[in-house]
Amino acid sequence: MGPIRIGVMGAGIIGREHVALVQASADATLAAIADVTDAGRAFADGLGVPCYTDYLQMLDQVELDAVIVALPNALHVEAGLACIERGLPTLMEKPIADSLAGGLRLADASEAAGVPMLVGHHRRHSPDMVESLRAIQAGELGQLVTVSGMWLCRKDEPYFDQAWRREAGGGPILINLIHEIDCLRFLCGEIESVQAVTANKARGFEVEDSVALILSFANGMIGSFVGSDAVPSPYIWDVASGQSPNFLHEPGDCYVIGGTRGSLSVPGMALWRHAGQGHWREPLMRERLQPPRSHCYPEQLRHFIAVVRKEAEPRVSAREGAMTLAATLAVDKAARQGGRVLVSEMLTS
């Protein structure tokens, strides 16, 4: 089968990253770009591909096999529905939508039409995540019991020059935590309930700069997570994994998953178990798991191409993307209300 023809909606920072990946792939070709800006048109002209200010024109006038949507979040639902209506498999940048209702609408439409949608939670394609899930499913940790995680970084001051990043809704819960929630769901299973507290003392803005969570999972696990955008550290997946093109690599860990037979640190991939009868009076043994050396962004595109060719089901379907959004919004609600929030309540409210 020849290269699939991909159209890209949005020529901003993320859209251009997708374009570069498509151009680097032997199994895909960039057919067109849709973008409303002069900069987007100039970018497309430089690549020698047509540019449309109306993405509907691109969908209707260009022969396409698939679409990548890298538009602002508020445009995801209508763009995704337009692709589904035309039978075009779609890679939808995360979050799937700017509201849970929108995300569920896309999930329902994708399933009803039988048109696959892959949501761009790229970490699920990272070798550390894939190998961790393999070890968990193989029973190497035993029955899962606990998980602990951190996301600690210090954002630069110019980042906050945009007023909305200093106001409610512009903080790490809704911007950054969605990545962590998706990783926890991927590795540990469905989140049943969340409790959360926030603080804003480090920066003094209206928006939170720090958050702490208590999580319960449907499989009986419990967990905790702490995050802040005001703390310099290597305890952030983008830095510790070496998978991000935007951060220098400082090898380390940001998650520890505990089971009845062992504990696994991620992305450092140290699996700790006791010798003998497997209890605390026996020596501890460390095994370093060795995932393949690959990068999550090209792996995500390879997977999307397999989905388009009907060789694979989406690793992060529209329904999965909506569930991650529901759990993230549950954190925001718990922090605001100061109580325990069931994710199921988010889905029925």
Side-chain angles (χ1 to χ4, degrees):
M1 186 180 297
I4 65 168
R5 299 175 296 273
I6 296 179
V8 176
M9 295 183 187
I13 294 174
I14 301 300
R16 295 186 185 209
E17 291 180 0
H18 283 294
V19 165
L21 290 166
V22 170
Q23 290 189 305
S25 172
D27 296 313
T29 184
L30 181 65
I33 291 173
D35 193 273
V36 299
T37 67
D38 292 339
R41 177 170 295 279
F43 175 66
D45 289 345
L47 298 175
V49 298
C51 183
Y52 294 81
T53 55
D54 184 344
Y55 62 72
L56 294 178
Q57 289 184 351
M58 180 185 78
L59 296 180
D60 293 334
Q61 297 178 17
V62 180
E63 186 177 0
L64 299 172
D65 299 308
V67 178
I68 296 174
V69 177
L71 296 170
N73 298 346
L75 303 179
H76 283 193
V77 174
E78 294 307 320
L81 290 174
C83 294
I84 291 169
E85 289 168 1
R86 291 159 176 80
L88 291 169
T90 304
L91 170 52
M92 177 68 71
E93 259 302 334
K94 74 283 181 190
I96 184 172
D98 64 339
S99 70
L100 182 54
L104 293 172
R105 185 180 176 193
L106 283 176
D108 289 342
S110 172
E111 292 166 0
V115 179
M117 176 173 288
L118 173 68
V119 183
H121 286 289
H122 58 276
R123 295 188 192 180
R124 293 204 192 194
H125 305 273
S126 180
D128 57 310
M129 293 293 165
V130 174
E131 175 66 4
S132 297
L133 184 63
R134 183 210 61 77
I136 290 168
Q137 292 179 337
E140 295 179 21
L141 278 68
Q143 177 185 340
L144 296 184
V145 179
T146 63
V147 62
S148 179
M150 292 183 291
W151 178 87
L152 302 175
C153 71
R154 181 171 176 82
K155 292 180 178 177
D156 56 289
E157 300 308 321
Y159 177 89
F160 298 96
D161 287 346
Q162 298 185 46
W164 66 270
R165 288 176 170 164
R166 304 190 300 271
E167 300 168 353
I173 290 180
L174 296 181
I175 293 178
N176 307 107
L177 191 66
I178 191 167
H179 298 288
E180 314 305 328
I181 292 295
D182 192 69
C183 289
L184 294 175
R185 289 189 60 247
F186 180 57
L187 296 178
C188 302
E190 211 59 71
I191 296 171
E192 186 174 69
S193 70
V194 299
Q195 296 168 263
V197 293
T198 60
N200 62 353
K201 298 300 182 183
R203 298 189 186 278
F205 297 145
E206 174 188 344
V207 71
E208 78 279 353
D209 50 56
S210 306
V211 59
L213 315 181
I214 297 175
L215 305 151
S216 63
F217 294 79
N219 59 9
M221 288 183 72
I222 57 175
S224 63
F225 195 92
V226 61
S228 178
D229 65 14
V231 178
S233 96
Y235 307 116
I236 170 176
W237 181 87
D238 308 80
V239 171
S241 68
Q243 287 285 311
S244 173
N246 301 314
F247 298 91
L248 294 176
H249 184 202
E250 290 288 346
D253 295 303
C254 52
Y255 312 109
V256 176
I257 303 167
T260 54
R261 293 184 57 198
S263 61
L264 177 65
S265 59
V266 184
M269 309 309 295
L271 176 59
W272 290 92
R273 290 179 283 195
H274 284 289
Q277 298 180 31
H279 56 67
W280 64 345
R281 298 187 186 278
E282 301 283 356
L284 271 169
M285 303 182 300
R286 183 181 68 176
E287 176 187 357
R288 185 76 65 177
L289 302 185
Q290 299 292 334
R293 295 183 179 274
S294 59
H295 202 281
C296 59
Y297 292 102
E299 288 297 332
Q300 177 178 251
L301 179 60
R302 277 191 281 271
H303 176 67
F304 181 52
I305 291 169
V307 169
V308 175
R309 291 175 171 171
K310 300 182 179 181
E311 299 168 352
E313 294 295 320
R315 185 171 296 175
V316 195
S317 67
R319 184 70 57 186
E320 274 288 286
M323 289 300 296
T324 289
L325 180 59
T328 306
L329 292 174
V331 172
D332 181 60
K333 182 177 180 180
R336 287 185 286 104
Q337 296 186 350
R340 178 171 176 257
V341 173
L342 297 172
V343 175
S344 59
E345 293 176 352
M346 305 301 298
L347 299 169
T348 57
S349 60

